[in-house]
mmCIF file with all atom_site columns, all heavy atoms in Angstrom:
data_model
loop_
_atom_site.group_PDB
_atom_site.id
_atom_site.type_symbol
_atom_site.label_atom_id
_atom_site.label_alt_id
_atom_site.label_comp_id
_atom_site.label_asym_id
_atom_site.label_entity_id
_atom_site.label_seq_id
_atom_site.pdbx_PDB_ins_code
_atom_site.Cartn_x
_atom_site.Cartn_y
_atom_site.Cartn_z
_atom_site.occupancy
_atom_site.B_iso_or_equiv
_atom_site.pdbx_formal_charge
_atom_site.auth_seq_id
_atom_site.auth_comp_id
_atom_site.auth_asym_id
_atom_site.auth_atom_id
_atom_site.pdbx_PDB_model_num
ATOM 1  N N   . LEU A 1 10 ? 32.999 28.999 -28.846 1.00 0.00 ? 10 LEU A N   1
ATOM 2  C CA  . LEU A 1 10 ? 33.353 30.326 -29.523 1.00 0.00 ? 10 LEU A CA  1
ATOM 3  C C   . LEU A 1 10 ? 34.223 30.983 -28.483 1.00 0.00 ? 10 LEU A C   1
ATOM 4  O O   . LEU A 1 10 ? 33.803 31.235 -27.292 1.00 0.00 ? 10 LEU A O   1
ATOM 5  C CB  . LEU A 1 10 ? 32.083 31.074 -29.717 1.00 0.00 ? 10 LEU A CB  1
ATOM 6  C CG  . LEU A 1 10 ? 32.240 32.524 -30.365 1.00 0.00 ? 10 LEU A CG  1
ATOM 7  C CD1 . LEU A 1 10 ? 32.940 32.339 -31.725 1.00 0.00 ? 10 LEU A CD1 1
ATOM 8  C CD2 . LEU A 1 10 ? 31.014 33.229 -30.470 1.00 0.00 ? 10 LEU A CD2 1
ATOM 9  N N   . ALA A 1 11 ? 35.529 31.297 -28.842 1.00 0.00 ? 11 ALA A N   1
ATOM 10 C CA  . ALA A 1 11 ? 36.368 31.858 -27.900 1.00 0.00 ? 11 ALA A CA  1
ATOM 11 C C   . ALA A 1 11 ? 37.075 32.959 -28.598 1.00 0.00 ? 11 ALA A C   1
ATOM 12 O O   . ALA A 1 11 ? 37.271 33.014 -29.773 1.00 0.00 ? 11 ALA A O   1
ATOM 13 C CB  . ALA A 1 11 ? 37.414 30.801 -27.379 1.00 0.00 ? 11 ALA A CB  1
ATOM 14 N N   . VAL A 1 12 ? 37.441 33.943 -27.624 1.00 0.00 ? 12 VAL A N   1
ATOM 15 C CA  . VAL A 1 12 ? 38.272 35.111 -28.219 1.00 0.00 ? 12 VAL A CA  1
ATOM 16 C C   . VAL A 1 12 ? 39.603 34.977 -27.550 1.00 0.00 ? 12 VAL A C   1
ATOM 17 O O   . VAL A 1 12 ? 39.892 34.616 -26.338 1.00 0.00 ? 12 VAL A O   1
ATOM 18 C CB  . VAL A 1 12 ? 37.727 36.372 -27.752 1.00 0.00 ? 12 VAL A CB  1
ATOM 19 C CG1 . VAL A 1 12 ? 38.481 37.546 -28.103 1.00 0.00 ? 12 VAL A CG1 1
ATOM 20 C CG2 . VAL A 1 12 ? 36.280 36.607 -28.428 1.00 0.00 ? 12 VAL A CG2 1
ATOM 21 N N   . GLN A 1 13 ? 40.721 35.108 -28.461 1.00 0.00 ? 13 GLN A N   1
ATOM 22 C CA  . GLN A 1 13 ? 42.121 34.944 -27.920 1.00 0.00 ? 13 GLN A CA  1
ATOM 23 C C   . GLN A 1 13 ? 42.639 36.282 -27.478 1.00 0.00 ? 13 GLN A C   1
ATOM 24 O O   . GLN A 1 13 ? 42.553 37.268 -28.045 1.00 0.00 ? 13 GLN A O   1
ATOM 25 C CB  . GLN A 1 13 ? 42.930 34.548 -29.162 1.00 0.00 ? 13 GLN A CB  1
ATOM 26 C CG  . GLN A 1 13 ? 44.225 34.091 -28.844 1.00 0.00 ? 13 GLN A CG  1
ATOM 27 C CD  . GLN A 1 13 ? 44.350 32.620 -28.249 1.00 0.00 ? 13 GLN A CD  1
ATOM 28 O OE1 . GLN A 1 13 ? 43.452 31.863 -28.411 1.00 0.00 ? 13 GLN A OE1 1
ATOM 29 N NE2 . GLN A 1 13 ? 45.291 32.327 -27.443 1.00 0.00 ? 13 GLN A NE2 1
ATOM 30 N N   . PHE A 1 14 ? 43.033 36.363 -26.076 1.00 0.00 ? 14 PHE A N   1
ATOM 31 C CA  . PHE A 1 14 ? 43.650 37.450 -25.606 1.00 0.00 ? 14 PHE A CA  1
ATOM 32 C C   . PHE A 1 14 ? 45.098 37.050 -25.290 1.00 0.00 ? 14 PHE A C   1
ATOM 33 O O   . PHE A 1 14 ? 45.311 36.406 -24.398 1.00 0.00 ? 14 PHE A O   1
ATOM 34 C CB  . PHE A 1 14 ? 42.913 37.828 -24.244 1.00 0.00 ? 14 PHE A CB  1
ATOM 35 C CG  . PHE A 1 14 ? 41.722 38.482 -24.458 1.00 0.00 ? 14 PHE A CG  1
ATOM 36 C CD1 . PHE A 1 14 ? 40.538 37.780 -24.213 1.00 0.00 ? 14 PHE A CD1 1
ATOM 37 C CD2 . PHE A 1 14 ? 41.605 39.862 -24.952 1.00 0.00 ? 14 PHE A CD2 1
ATOM 38 C CE1 . PHE A 1 14 ? 39.213 38.276 -24.411 1.00 0.00 ? 14 PHE A CE1 1
ATOM 39 C CE2 . PHE A 1 14 ? 40.307 40.319 -25.000 1.00 0.00 ? 14 PHE A CE2 1
ATOM 40 C CZ  . PHE A 1 14 ? 39.175 39.621 -24.744 1.00 0.00 ? 14 PHE A CZ  1
ATOM 41 N N   . GLY A 1 15 ? 46.111 37.383 -26.260 1.00 0.00 ? 15 GLY A N   1
ATOM 42 C CA  . GLY A 1 15 ? 47.409 36.925 -26.097 1.00 0.00 ? 15 GLY A CA  1
ATOM 43 C C   . GLY A 1 15 ? 47.446 35.437 -26.155 1.00 0.00 ? 15 GLY A C   1
ATOM 44 O O   . GLY A 1 15 ? 47.152 34.850 -27.175 1.00 0.00 ? 15 GLY A O   1
ATOM 45 N N   . ASP A 1 16 ? 47.963 34.811 -25.142 1.00 0.00 ? 16 ASP A N   1
ATOM 46 C CA  . ASP A 1 16 ? 48.162 33.348 -25.027 1.00 0.00 ? 16 ASP A CA  1
ATOM 47 C C   . ASP A 1 16 ? 46.922 32.680 -24.482 1.00 0.00 ? 16 ASP A C   1
ATOM 48 O O   . ASP A 1 16 ? 46.840 31.483 -24.307 1.00 0.00 ? 16 ASP A O   1
ATOM 49 C CB  . ASP A 1 16 ? 49.312 33.001 -24.227 1.00 0.00 ? 16 ASP A CB  1
ATOM 50 C CG  . ASP A 1 16 ? 50.718 33.411 -24.958 1.00 0.00 ? 16 ASP A CG  1
ATOM 51 O OD1 . ASP A 1 16 ? 50.553 33.548 -26.153 1.00 0.00 ? 16 ASP A OD1 1
ATOM 52 O OD2 . ASP A 1 16 ? 51.748 33.545 -24.258 1.00 0.00 ? 16 ASP A OD2 1
ATOM 53 N N   . GLN A 1 17 ? 45.879 33.418 -24.076 1.00 0.00 ? 17 GLN A N   1
ATOM 54 C CA  . GLN A 1 17 ? 44.807 32.945 -23.319 1.00 0.00 ? 17 GLN A CA  1
ATOM 55 C C   . GLN A 1 17 ? 43.543 33.057 -24.149 1.00 0.00 ? 17 GLN A C   1
ATOM 56 O O   . GLN A 1 17 ? 43.281 34.132 -24.668 1.00 0.00 ? 17 GLN A O   1
ATOM 57 C CB  . GLN A 1 17 ? 44.656 33.422 -21.980 1.00 0.00 ? 17 GLN A CB  1
ATOM 58 C CG  . GLN A 1 17 ? 43.883 32.807 -20.984 1.00 0.00 ? 17 GLN A CG  1
ATOM 59 C CD  . GLN A 1 17 ? 44.082 33.432 -19.641 1.00 0.00 ? 17 GLN A CD  1
ATOM 60 O OE1 . GLN A 1 17 ? 44.272 34.546 -19.493 1.00 0.00 ? 17 GLN A OE1 1
ATOM 61 N NE2 . GLN A 1 17 ? 43.936 32.642 -18.491 1.00 0.00 ? 17 GLN A NE2 1
ATOM 62 N N   . ALA A 1 18 ? 42.710 31.877 -24.195 1.00 0.00 ? 18 ALA A N   1
ATOM 63 C CA  . ALA A 1 18 ? 41.492 31.990 -24.866 1.00 0.00 ? 18 ALA A CA  1
ATOM 64 C C   . ALA A 1 18 ? 40.354 32.088 -23.871 1.00 0.00 ? 18 ALA A C   1
ATOM 65 O O   . ALA A 1 18 ? 40.481 31.493 -22.766 1.00 0.00 ? 18 ALA A O   1
ATOM 66 C CB  . ALA A 1 18 ? 41.196 30.672 -25.649 1.00 0.00 ? 18 ALA A CB  1
ATOM 67 N N   . VAL A 1 19 ? 39.422 32.879 -24.123 1.00 0.00 ? 19 VAL A N   1
ATOM 68 C CA  . VAL A 1 19 ? 38.203 33.124 -23.137 1.00 0.00 ? 19 VAL A CA  1
ATOM 69 C C   . VAL A 1 19 ? 37.003 32.515 -23.880 1.00 0.00 ? 19 VAL A C   1
ATOM 70 O O   . VAL A 1 19 ? 36.701 32.984 -24.956 1.00 0.00 ? 19 VAL A O   1
ATOM 71 C CB  . VAL A 1 19 ? 38.073 34.530 -22.881 1.00 0.00 ? 19 VAL A CB  1
ATOM 72 C CG1 . VAL A 1 19 ? 36.858 34.705 -21.872 1.00 0.00 ? 19 VAL A CG1 1
ATOM 73 C CG2 . VAL A 1 19 ? 39.296 35.125 -22.090 1.00 0.00 ? 19 VAL A CG2 1
ATOM 74 N N   . ASP A 1 20 ? 36.317 31.535 -23.197 1.00 0.00 ? 20 ASP A N   1
ATOM 75 C CA  . ASP A 1 20 ? 35.238 30.883 -23.854 1.00 0.00 ? 20 ASP A CA  1
ATOM 76 C C   . ASP A 1 20 ? 33.999 31.643 -23.351 1.00 0.00 ? 20 ASP A C   1
ATOM 77 O O   . ASP A 1 20 ? 33.691 31.541 -22.110 1.00 0.00 ? 20 ASP A O   1
ATOM 78 C CB  . ASP A 1 20 ? 35.181 29.423 -23.387 1.00 0.00 ? 20 ASP A CB  1
ATOM 79 C CG  . ASP A 1 20 ? 34.043 28.730 -23.882 1.00 0.00 ? 20 ASP A CG  1
ATOM 80 O OD1 . ASP A 1 20 ? 33.263 29.167 -24.726 1.00 0.00 ? 20 ASP A OD1 1
ATOM 81 O OD2 . ASP A 1 20 ? 33.757 27.494 -23.529 1.00 0.00 ? 20 ASP A OD2 1
ATOM 82 N N   . PHE A 1 21 ? 33.239 32.151 -24.174 1.00 0.00 ? 21 PHE A N   1
ATOM 83 C CA  . PHE A 1 21 ? 31.983 32.979 -23.705 1.00 0.00 ? 21 PHE A CA  1
ATOM 84 C C   . PHE A 1 21 ? 30.864 32.149 -23.400 1.00 0.00 ? 21 PHE A C   1
ATOM 85 O O   . PHE A 1 21 ? 29.972 32.569 -22.765 1.00 0.00 ? 21 PHE A O   1
ATOM 86 C CB  . PHE A 1 21 ? 31.585 34.062 -24.859 1.00 0.00 ? 21 PHE A CB  1
ATOM 87 C CG  . PHE A 1 21 ? 32.630 35.086 -24.921 1.00 0.00 ? 21 PHE A CG  1
ATOM 88 C CD1 . PHE A 1 21 ? 33.544 35.275 -26.004 1.00 0.00 ? 21 PHE A CD1 1
ATOM 89 C CD2 . PHE A 1 21 ? 32.704 36.081 -23.941 1.00 0.00 ? 21 PHE A CD2 1
ATOM 90 C CE1 . PHE A 1 21 ? 34.456 36.339 -26.088 1.00 0.00 ? 21 PHE A CE1 1
ATOM 91 C CE2 . PHE A 1 21 ? 33.512 37.171 -24.057 1.00 0.00 ? 21 PHE A CE2 1
ATOM 92 C CZ  . PHE A 1 21 ? 34.469 37.301 -25.063 1.00 0.00 ? 21 PHE A CZ  1
#
Side-chain angles (χ1 to χ4, degrees):
L10 179 63
V12 174
Q13 190 80 26
F14 290 102
D16 292 338
Q17 200 169 27
V19 177
D20 180 10
F21 285 106

